[in-house]
Amino acid sequence: MKLFVGLGNPGAKYAGNRHNIGFMAVDRIAEDHGFSPWRRGYQGLVSEGRLGSEKVVLLKPETFMNLSGQSVRAAVDFFKIELSDITVFHDELDLAPGKCRVKQGGGHAGHNGLRSIHAHLGEAYGRVRLGIGHPGHKDAVAAYVLHDFAKADQDWLDDLLRGISDGAQALAEGDGARFMNAVALRVAPPRSSASVEKPVKPAPAAAVKAEPPAEICPLARLKDFFR
C-alpha cells in the first residue's frame, strides 16, 4: 500500500491558495482515477483506490499546515505504511511556477508542513515538489503562499495537475522517471515533427560579365582604313 499526502490548509478560505497546491494534486488524482469519495479519518480527509496494481490511500491533513505531521502519523500507524511508501505533494518556493521535481528523503528547507512530518516520522519519505515561484523577498513569503493563484497562472497550473494525474500510476509503482516524463508531456509538449518547409529564396542572378571587346590586329585596322 502507498500513501499519497497532499499538503494544504482546510476550508474554503484557503482552497485556491498557492500553499494548497498539494491538496489540488491529490484531488485531481482522486477525480481522474475513480477513487472513493473523501471521508474523514486520521485527522484529515481520506480517499482510497488503485493506481495500476498498487492500492493507494490519499490523505489531506486537516490539522492546518504547521501540524500536518499529526495527521500523517495517524494514517501511517493505522495502515502500517513504510516511510519509503509515502509521497508528499507540496508547494515549493525555490522552483519556478509549473516546475515539478521528485525527491526521496532530505531536509525540509523551512517548509512548515514538511517540518512537522519530519518531527513525527523522520525524513526518509518521498516528496513531489511543485513549483510556485518566489515573491522575491522572504518577508513577503507568508502573504504570497496564502494568496490565491492568479488568473494568469491557471493554464500552467491545470497542465501541471493533469500531468501529475497522468503519471500517478508510475509514481505509485516507484518509477519516478516515467512520472516526470508524464508531467513534462503536459507542461512542455513536444513540437510537431511535421515542420512546414520555408520557401527557398532564389539565389541572386549571377551578374553577366561583359566580355572585353576582341583585340583588333594591326592588319585588320589597315584593311579598314583602305575600305
Side-chain angles (χ1 to χ4, degrees):
M1 179 181 290
K2 303 297 174 69
L3 176 64
F4 283 4
V5 181
L7 296 187
N9 289 309
K13 175 182 177 180
Y14 303 101
N17 285 184
R18 294 182 177 93
H19 222 17
N20 273 40
I21 194 171
F23 275 14
M24 298 174 193
V26 294
D27 277 337
R28 192 55 179 263
I29 292 171
E31 179 181 351
D32 289 353
H33 295 275
F35 274 58
S36 66
W38 292 95
R39 62 179 176 83
R40 296 194 178 279
Y42 321 109
Q43 301 179 52
L45 293 175
V46 183
S47 178
E48 299 180 42
R50 302 194 79 87
L51 292 171
S53 61
E54 298 289 340
K55 184 175 181 181
V56 178
V57 175
L58 305 178
L59 173 67
K60 296 189 293 183
E62 291 205 301
T63 50
F64 286 90
M65 183 68 80
N66 293 3
L67 298 175
S68 298
Q70 294 181 6
S71 175
V72 179
R73 180 60 186 266
V76 167
D77 287 348
F78 180 83
F79 291 108
K80 309 300 181 187
I81 297 175
E82 299 291 331
L83 292 187
S84 59
D85 291 326
I86 301 171
T87 300
V88 177
F89 296 80
H90 67 90
D91 57 306
E92 177 59 72
L93 290 165
D94 293 331
L95 287 178
K99 296 294 184 182
C100 174
R101 297 289 183 271
V102 177
K103 181 180 179 182
Q104 190 70 36
H108 53 66
H111 190 288
N112 288 333
L114 300 184
R115 191 197 304 273
S116 177
I117 297 172
H118 271 53
H120 284 271
L121 296 170
E123 52 81 30
Y125 57 92
R127 309 97 194 267
V128 175
R129 304 163 62 212
L130 304 173
I132 60 169
H134 198 285
H137 195 281
K138 64 180 181 180
D139 292 341
V141 166
Y144 179 75
V145 299
L146 293 176
H147 193 278
D148 287 359
F149 282 105
K151 288 184 178 179
D153 295 324
Q154 295 306 312
D155 285 346
W156 70 254
L157 178 60
D158 186 61
D159 286 342
L160 178 60
L161 297 177
R162 285 174 181 271
I164 289 168
S165 179
D166 291 347
Q169 179 178 331
L171 188 65
E173 293 171 349
D175 192 339
R178 189 155 57 92
F179 168 75
M180 287 297 297
N181 186 60
V183 174
L185 287 174
R186 284 288 188 180
V187 300
R191 294 181 180 179
S192 172
S193 58
S195 56
V196 178
E197 292 186 4
K198 295 181 179 180
V200 179
K201 292 182 179 179
V208 178
K209 294 183 179 179
E211 294 185 3
E215 187 177 349
I216 302 175
C217 67
L219 181 59
R221 287 177 183 171
L222 189 60
K223 287 181 178 179
D224 288 340
F225 179 78
F226 286 104
R227 280 180 180 175

